[in-house]
Amino acid sequence: RNCTTIIALLSSRLLSFSLLARLGLGVFCPTFNSSTDSKMWRLRSAIGPTLVLALVTSHCGGEVSEVTAGLVNRNGIDRTGIPTGGGVTTQPPRTNQGRALPLLGFGTELVWQSINDTVLAEAVRLSGSLLGRYPGGTPADYWDWKSGWPSDVPGDPIRRATPTDWAEYARVSGTAHTIVVVNQLTTNLTTELDGLAAHHAAGTVVDRIECGNEMYDSTRPDVVAAYPSGRNYTDKMSLWAAAFKAAYPASEVALLAMTWRPDIGGREASWNDEVFNVPPELLAHIDAATLHPYFGIRWSDADAQPPKKSGDCGEQRTGANGPWIATETGCGDACSCAQRCSDRAECRAWQWMSAPPHDCYLKSTAGMSTNDGSVSGIAPQPGPPQPPSPDAVADVFAAAFKFADENAVMVGKLPPKLNLWVTELAAYGAEELNFTWLETLANILYEVLLLLRIPKIQAMAPYCLVCGDPIAPSFSSPAADASPPSRSAVPPHDAGRVPWVESLRGAAHTALFKHIAMASADDPQARLVELESTPLPSTRASRNGHDNPSTQTPLPQEIVGWSVVSGTRAIAALIIHLGSNTTSISVEDRLNLEPTSTYTSKSWFPKYRIDVINSTLAAKDLGSTVSEQVPAAQALALSPYSLTIVNVQS
């Protein structure tokens, strides 16, 4: 094969496309003669460069990638007209230098977490979380470090968290780095310096200090009264920062920055300008800005019907008298109660009766795993589960792209000298998606996009480890209080005595945290280099085929992720697949691997399409595939809506 010659000619464009076509056909069709095969020659004139480049690509394989690199734009559209997607997708080597490895860990809000809970601390240690925030959240602005509790929260129950308590938790949980949020709203500088000294004495390295929590919030009257404008905040914090740096010269001090949202206005809209557009001497001791880039999502598929907590008709549950499904009252007589399930094939062998304490009872367990004739209650679902439309799912992902891009523009206006820490973030706005894989993957996508779009983000602590907000907890417990509905507020007297389970968010963040922690252990100087990708095609139609006017623009990418590059060699990768169908990628080409390399991979994904919006899905019930010692040339299959970690062996 004379691939080098063809590629050189194509690259330099020394020949016309007509001559290239003749050359290409001459190579692949040695018997071709332009005078006798006039139809084919006329075809050459019609297809032009598309056929030639396709033939060269198929014939020369990876050798053509460097040539075509200049012909492929950021979204993977080949300027010559040849799509790079479809089948096993290949990618030209990236030329950008990437970004430094970030410091990652679960965000904490200690009014909801008993930090003497050794069971939870062990779960955090196993997750790869290396960063924590003391004490976290709005309570930080009312925090009394001596008592380990905020003044604005009722005293019962108290989950004490003094600097000494925190140091012990950090030791057991492997939380090697702490962002200390000082209470600048309801106490004084001397008290907070004493608090930092208490942290230092307890063994916590005081190297990241955050000056309060969300002082831009116009809904908090005491905050607005304390700081009528952002400049008032900067004036005060510049003095505090000087004192912090005098006591801890190696520390970094951060002011609070506002992030983008579509309804931003008033105080929030002017905050960054008032805080940071100030005389340089006011920022002399300021090293960073902290961000809380929450992002809004919505659910546009009203027809989608996720499985209910009671399970589908016929699903087994364990109850006092054997298998059962949670009952419901007010069902009416036995006939109408059973009718809701009687037309389903798996229910026809069941007999029904009406008896207390519920209206509808299953008399026979025929067809279930046990058949002991016991009486068990059942509540059939109101309708069969209905998978969501791919476009509705894509709308959720589109929000992550939108908010990441807007935030990149907004924080790009901050003073260049400042590093950035993300100390809270999560998706909000779609209660239907709480605790689902869709919400989880949207959060991971958003975090990855922020890290890629904003390389100055040094540290990121997604909200939250355990907390009171049902949009966010990474761990839950069967012993948690019913209120708040986060499934993660365990009474203090049960701390260390009850089990904790990773939520879907927790499982995905564990994969992310371990991935970065392992890369950092291999090479602390490694870089994250964004993977190129092809656009995600979209029909922009609802499930019934009618136009869906609520949908947004198609997603810019089907595959999002990065390679971890040590020196000039990729050692790992993170890949998010946003498509609704299985696809395959060439790991060798995407990561620019040597043909002799091998890789291992692990993927997480919903086993069934309905499970992407199933709020009762446990992390252990996610689909998972593991491949070991795979030749670099072997394609990697990506399941719909999947998260994949790849590790490379030379």
Side-chain angles (χ1 to χ4, degrees):
R1 301 187 307 175
N2 195 14
C3 290
T4 303
T5 301
I6 298 173
I7 292 169
L9 292 172
L10 179 61
S11 178
S12 62
R13 301 184 182 181
L14 294 177
L15 299 179
S16 68
F17 280 123
S18 297
L19 186 54
L20 277 172
R22 183 187 293 271
L23 176 60
L25 290 174
V27 171
F28 294 98
C29 308
T31 60
F32 167 75
N33 181 285
S34 62
S35 61
T36 58
D37 296 78
S38 58
K39 289 183 180 179
M40 182 173 289
W41 191 243
R42 285 196 299 270
L43 178 62
R44 180 273 304 161
S45 300
I47 62 177
T50 299
L51 174 61
V52 176
L53 189 55
L55 290 172
V56 173
T57 302
S58 64
H59 187 62
C60 304
E63 294 182 42
V64 78
S65 62
E66 292 189 0
V67 174
T68 59
L71 303 177
V72 179
N73 69 16
R74 185 177 184 277
N75 288 328
I77 298 296
D78 190 328
R79 296 192 194 119
T80 64
I82 299 176
T84 59
V88 178
T89 56
T90 61
Q91 207 65 36
R94 291 302 303 270
T95 58
N96 71 68
Q97 297 301 306
R99 58 149 296 143
L101 297 177
L103 177 61
L104 303 178
F106 293 116
T108 45
E109 190 165 2
L110 299 185
V111 292
W112 299 110
Q113 175 188 346
S114 296
I115 58 175
N116 65 334
D117 190 328
T118 54
V119 177
L120 180 59
E122 175 65 8
V124 174
R125 186 185 69 81
L126 296 174
S127 74
S129 174
L130 298 178
L131 175 66
R133 186 175 179 234
Y134 176 97
T138 301
D141 295 325
Y142 309 92
W143 197 261
D144 174 12
W145 62 264
K146 295 178 182 178
S147 65
W149 195 249
S151 61
D152 70 325
V153 177
D156 187 28
I158 288 179
R159 298 176 174 89
R160 194 191 72 182
T162 66
T164 301
D165 297 327
W166 174 261
E168 177 61 15
Y169 163 78
R171 183 188 66 81
V172 176
S173 67
T175 303
H177 304 272
T178 298
I179 296 175
V180 179
V181 189
V182 293
N183 177 2
Q184 40 65 59
L185 184 65
T186 58
T187 186
N188 56 65
L189 176 58
T190 299
T191 299
E192 291 309 287
L193 282 170
D194 290 344
L196 294 176
H199 279 289
H200 177 73
T204 298
V205 177
V206 180
D207 58 359
R208 292 178 179 84
I209 303 169
E210 183 177 7
C211 295
N213 184 84
E214 298 181 357
M215 291 294 102
Y216 44 76
D217 189 350
S218 61
T219 67
R220 298 168 61 185
D222 55 346
V223 167
V224 176
Y227 305 115
S229 74
R231 177 61 185 267
N232 300 131
Y233 168 77
T234 301
D235 287 343
K236 178 178 176 180
M237 289 302 100
S238 66
L239 300 176
W240 284 45
F244 296 152
K245 299 285 278 193
Y248 305 96
S251 67
E252 292 190 7
V253 180
L255 299 183
L256 311 176
M258 182 62 193
T259 54
W260 185 85
R261 68 187 191 205
D263 60 343
I264 190 171
R267 177 183 177 87
E268 287 84 354
S270 61
W271 179 262
N272 286 357
D273 186 58
E274 293 174 353
V275 170
F276 298 103
N277 188 14
V278 296
E281 58 269 21
L282 292 180
L283 301 180
H285 301 289
I286 304 301
D287 309 280
T290 61
L291 312 173
H292 289 184
Y294 286 91
F295 72 109
I297 59 176
R298 64 190 180 90
W299 186 235
S300 60
D301 190 349
D303 296 328
Q305 178 65 55
K308 299 299 183 184
K309 189 173 294 189
S310 59
D312 197 1
C313 182
E315 183 176 348
Q316 182 175 334
R317 291 285 187 267
T318 301
N321 295 319
W324 68 291
I325 295 177
T327 63
E328 64 183 32
T329 59
C331 192
D333 59 62
C335 291
S336 62
C337 184
Q339 182 63 39
R340 296 169 62 185
C341 196
S342 62
D343 292 335
R344 296 175 65 84
E346 64 267 33
C347 301
R348 289 174 184 164
W350 298 1
Q351 299 177 12
W352 300 82
M353 61 178 290
S354 180
H358 300 289
D359 296 321
C360 187
Y361 259 60
L362 174 64
K363 185 176 182 180
S364 171
T365 55
M368 303 181 77
S369 59
T370 60
N371 189 16
D372 58 10
S374 63
V375 175
S376 302
I378 189 167
Q381 271 198 188
Q386 177 64 62
S389 72
D391 283 345
V393 174
D395 283 345
V396 175
F397 295 144
F401 284 96
K402 172 70 172 176
F403 275 76
D405 289 341
E406 294 287 359
N407 274 301
V409 173
M410 187 162 182
V411 303
K413 300 174 183 178
L414 296 175
K417 79 162 194 166
L418 299 181
N419 295 315
L420 301 174
W421 311 337
V422 175
T423 54
E424 288 184 24
L425 86 163
Y428 66 90
E431 184 178 347
E432 309 95 315
L433 300 181
N434 288 352
F435 301 103
T436 67
W437 179 249
L438 178 52
E439 180 193 54
T440 292
L441 196 60
N443 274 277
I444 297 295
L445 169 65
Y446 183 54
E447 292 162 25
V448 167
L449 289 172
L450 285 176
L451 290 170
L452 291 172
R453 303 284 194 272
I454 312 175
K456 295 188 71 173
I457 295 176
Q458 289 184 326
M460 179 178 284
Y463 192 74
C464 65
L465 176 61
V466 297
C467 51
D469 197 325
I471 68 170
S474 295
F475 288 86
S476 62
S477 174
D481 291 331
S483 181
S486 63
R487 311 177 190 170
S488 66
V490 168
H493 59 77
D494 284 333
R497 301 191 299 172
V498 298
W500 287 92
V501 180
E502 279 185 327
S503 66
L504 298 179
R505 284 175 58 92
H509 279 104
T510 291
L512 172 61
F513 294 166
K514 284 185 173 180
H515 164 67
I516 294 297
M518 289 178 61
S520 182
D522 289 340
D523 180 6
Q525 303 305 313
R527 314 281 295 177
L528 302 181
V529 178
E530 183 175 9
L531 298 177
E532 291 278 2
S533 185
T534 55
L536 179 64
S538 176
T539 61
R540 312 316 299 162
S542 61
R543 186 173 29 250
N544 59 14
H546 298 300
D547 290 339
N548 186 348
S550 66
T551 54
Q552 303 171 9
T553 56
L555 294 182
Q557 294 174 229
E558 178 180 2
I559 294 171
V560 176
W562 56 53
S563 60
V564 182
V565 178
S566 175
T568 59
R569 182 177 65 90
I571 60 175
L574 177 145
I575 304 169
I576 302 172
H577 179 219
L578 305 177
S580 59
N581 296 304
T582 299
T583 191
S584 296
I585 64 169
S586 169
V587 175
E588 181 180 6
D589 290 342
R590 293 267 178 165
L591 305 187
N592 199 23
L593 301 181
E594 295 294 331
T596 56
S597 300
T598 62
Y599 68 89
T600 64
S601 67
K602 184 171 183 179
S603 297
W604 296 263
F605 51 88
K607 293 179 183 177
Y608 308 102
R609 190 156 299 184
I610 186 66
D611 281 341
V612 76
I613 56 170
N614 183 358
S615 63
T616 66
L617 185 70
K620 64 180 179 62
D621 295 325
L622 279 170
S624 178
T625 58
V626 178
S627 301
E628 297 184 358
Q629 301 297 316
V630 180
Q634 182 172 321
L636 172 64
L638 300 176
S639 297
Y641 311 132
S642 59
L643 170 65
T644 301
I645 301 296
V646 174
N647 291 301
V648 178
Q649 295 84 40
S650 298

